Each structure stands twice: as structure tokens, then as C-alpha cells.
Amino acid sequence: MTGADMDGADRAGAGTRPGRALVLSGGVALGAFEAGAYAALEASGEAPPDLLAGVSAGAVNAAIIAGNPPGARAAPLRRFWDLMATDPTPATTFLLGPPPSSGAWRMAYNEASALQTLLLGHPRMFRPRLVPGPRIGEAPALFDLEPLLARLPDFIDFDRLNGGDGRLILASTDVETGERVVFDTARGTRIGPRHVVASCALLPVFAPVALDGRLLADGGLASNAPLDLVLDVPRGRALDCILIELFARAGSRPRSLGASMARAADLGFGNQTERILEGRAREQRLRALVGRLAARLPAEIRADVAPLLAEACPDPPLTLVRIGYRAARDEAGPGKMFDFSAATLADRWAAGGAAMRQALQRLASPAAAIPLAEGLLLHDVETTPARI
């Protein structure tokens, strides 16, 4: 959307349907889950999102979606993630075929994939630095994202991304100040490949990106699922928002050191979103209370404070579907973000599709939602790859 609010689609003839937003979180190779989810959304024939927001892997997926025409976005997402797929044991695969869907062999295959990526990098996404120490004006890191930077134009029409009907919001983090830096096509930012890569630069794995006089790192260091950036957009109609959270807040007790490390990441990132929702629910309840109090004021007083009351009025209704990705037991523990194996990416893609189909069913059933506040409904969908 080219304006600062979400009413443009109504003026363009979208009628009275709710607006639709899609928020994509970060998670490196877990991003295949988001891509599969969007492919299912496109296949459903449902309206595409009016507003996209993302960080890290979610920023890459969001940019590919925004940089291609509606109805033809799943194909470049598929091409991108197929290109990212690797095989950590090519000799075994040649002799014995793909790994099984579960079990010890599959776990070893996944862990080998993550270890290989962390040791050698990914030739089509990030490459090792010969000297991990700092370069001039930069910070120490193990890899740089130059291969990804070079490949993004193969999948994204940046003229369409910046001039299309949809609105794209990406976020990064200033390494020095800690400030979240927001790139918003509706607020004058012309997003290019470096903006996308800046949102992906997870320290200390990936080198930060120098852009506009700042040294920028992964947007997930500020908020891994930038839901608040969508909720803060002024709107004049109801909104259906689908949030894809790649680190599930709910989980099981860890039974190994690796599982404890993986669980810590899930909790750290997943709880960010929970705090955003709690804050928004408190705000909505307060706005509703102000509205009820205003209704009791005499007419002449209401007229005097009308501009203030208008600012305090509740926003139009919001329905949020939060899709949580819960890793399968045989995924690579704390290294799951770096498992780019073809088998795992295929499983994540399929799981994302199943989750999106369930999310669309939930949106059609408002009575099944959890009411967080007046005009704020929540559906939770949690998905694990089907092999478990």
C-alpha cells in the first residue's frame, strides 16, 4: 500500500472485506516453513496480504512475495528454497536414497547438515570470512551474506516491491545504539537488496551491513516477529493478521544439553510476541473503558474533547492467527536454524502449507477465537512436521 494507512485497498475497490496482513519472523533455514505457508495461501485463492512485515528469513520471504505479482509468488519462493537445499551426505544418498522420515539415521543426517553449514557456510547464501575479525567499520563475524546479496535480484523485482499496491515493512537493528531501524515502503524507504540483507545479519554468525551511515544487524535482535509494526499502522477497517512464529513458546521439557539450548531460543524469541500481545490487549481494554466513560459525559463536554476522544477510540476489530512452528524431535537441536538439508526443507515447506490451511479455517470461525480484549481475537495454530 502506498499510503500510511490501510484504507487504500478500500478506495481501490476491495469493498468492505477486512484488510489482511502477514507477519514473518526470523529463523534462517526455518524460513522454508513460512514459504510453504504462503504457497498454501496462494493456492487457496484467498486475497493476498495488503501488508507484509518481516525480519531475517522472514524479510527475505516477504521481499520475494512483495517483489512478484499476486498469484505468481509461490513459484519464486519455491525456486529460492530449492536453491538453498543441500545434501550433507551425497554418497549415502546416491547409494541408499534419501534418509528416512524419522529415527536415528534422520537425526544424524539433520545434525550433519547443520554442522556442515556452521563449519563451511552455505555457498548460495553466506560464505566464511577468511579472517573472522573486524574489518574497517565493521564487527567480528564468522560469515558474510554477500552470496545472498548477489542472488536476491534473481527472485525479486525491486521496482514492483517499491511501487506495487502492497506495503512492505522490514526491520533491522543498529549495532551501536540498539535502536530498531524500520524500512517501510509506505514511508518513503526505497527497499533494495542491502536493506533485506541488513535484516538478516545475525551477530556473531553473520557480519553486520553498513547502510545509510549505520551498522545494521538482524531485526530479530529487537523483535523477531515484528507484530507491533503492523498493529501500529492506522487503519479504518477490520484486520485479519496471520503471524508465523518460527520459535514456539510452548514446548516440552528438554532432556539433553542441546535440547536445553534449543528450548532457550524458543522461549527467548517466542515470549517477545507474547509480551507484544499482552501490551496490545491492555491498550485495547483501556481504549474501551475511555469510550464507555465518554458516553456518560454531557454532550457539551463531549464536543469540547471530541478530538482527544477520537484518538482514544478503540481500533477496528483485529483477528490474529498465530502459527507456531514446533520443531520435530529429530531436528538438529540448537543447530536447527542451519539445517538446509533438502529433506528437512521439504518437511518444513509441507508443514507450513498444512498450518496455513488450518489458519484459514480458523479465520472463518471467529467463535473459536480467544478474546484478548474488546475487538481483539486470537487463534493459535501450532504445527510440527508430519513425520512425528
Side-chain angles (χ1 to χ4, degrees):
M1 217 165 286
T2 56
D5 59 33
M6 293 191 64
D7 294 324
D10 280 335
R11 292 192 294 270
T16 58
R17 72 166 179 84
R20 175 158 290 167
L22 180 62
V23 181
L24 302 177
S25 62
V28 197
L30 300 175
F33 177 83
E34 297 173 332
Y38 189 85
L41 175 63
E42 185 172 284
S44 73
E46 293 272 346
D50 309 302
L51 172 59
L52 287 157
V55 301
S56 198
V60 175
N61 285 326
I64 293 173
I65 293 166
N68 285 277
R73 293 163 165 172
L77 284 169
R78 171 66 81 177
R79 285 194 297 110
F80 177 83
W81 286 100
D82 282 350
L83 184 67
M84 295 302 126
T86 62
D87 187 347
T89 57
T92 304
T93 301
F94 177 77
L95 293 173
L96 303 176
S101 60
S102 61
W105 179 0
R106 179 58 184 273
M107 183 177 291
Y109 173 88
N110 293 341
E111 290 177 348
S113 174
L115 181 61
Q116 181 184 83
T117 303
L118 287 168
L119 289 176
L120 303 177
H122 191 302
R124 296 176 292 281
M125 184 173 280
F126 50 89
R127 65 189 180 194
R129 289 183 146 192
L130 296 179
V131 180
R135 301 176 186 178
I136 296 175
E138 294 185 2
L142 298 174
F143 303 95
D144 66 51
L145 289 160
E146 293 298 321
L148 175 62
L149 181 67
R151 288 186 179 275
L152 285 176
D154 296 339
F155 301 92
I156 302 167
D157 178 344
F158 283 93
D159 288 334
R160 173 179 284 277
L161 180 153
N162 288 286
D165 294 331
R167 178 175 183 175
L168 176 64
I169 303 175
L170 307 181
S172 188
T173 306
D174 188 305
V175 171
E176 295 177 282
T177 68
E179 177 188 359
R180 181 166 61 175
V181 181
V182 178
F183 312 124
D184 186 344
T185 58
R187 298 191 180 276
T189 305
R190 180 169 178 82
I191 292 176
R194 289 188 69 81
H195 296 86
V196 179
V197 172
S199 186
C200 301
L202 179 62
L203 287 170
V205 181
F206 304 129
V209 175
L211 185 65
D212 298 330
R214 295 176 182 258
L215 197 60
L216 300 179
D218 195 293
L221 297 173
S223 177
N224 197 52
L227 175 63
D228 57 314
L229 297 180
V230 170
L231 300 183
D232 288 341
V233 172
R235 62 183 191 274
R237 57 174 171 156
L239 176 66
D240 291 339
C241 180
I242 299 174
L243 163 68
I244 301 182
E245 182 76 82
L246 295 177
F247 295 90
R249 192 170 67 97
S252 56
R253 293 185 181 183
R255 299 186 179 182
S256 67
L257 182 59
S260 291
M261 294 171 65
R263 189 74 193 108
D266 289 344
L267 290 169
F269 288 124
N271 275 321
Q272 291 179 1
T273 304
E274 193 67 18
R275 301 292 84 78
I276 291 173
L277 280 177
E278 289 174 354
R280 189 59 46 145
R282 285 194 298 270
E283 180 182 330
Q284 284 288 91
R285 288 193 290 268
L286 180 59
R287 285 172 177 261
L289 177 60
V290 170
R292 289 194 292 272
L293 291 174
R296 295 173 177 263
L297 294 175
E300 62 274 13
I301 297 179
R302 284 204 307 272
D304 288 340
V305 297
L308 296 176
L309 291 176
E311 292 183 12
C313 283
D315 289 326
L318 168 70
T319 300
L320 173 67
V321 181
R322 176 171 55 182
I323 298 174
Y325 176 79
R326 187 169 179 179
R329 295 189 191 96
D330 55 18
E331 291 201 38
K336 63 187 176 185
M337 293 190 298
F338 298 96
D339 179 4
F340 283 90
S341 63
T344 297
L345 294 189
D347 286 341
R348 289 170 179 165
W349 181 287
M356 179 58 75
R357 288 187 287 273
Q358 188 176 350
L360 294 175
Q361 292 174 356
R362 295 289 187 89
L363 278 174
S365 305
I370 301 169
L372 300 181
E374 184 176 326
L376 180 57
L377 301 178
L378 172 66
H379 296 276
D380 266 321
V381 175
E382 188 174 286
T383 300
T384 300
R387 63 182 183 272
I388 296 300

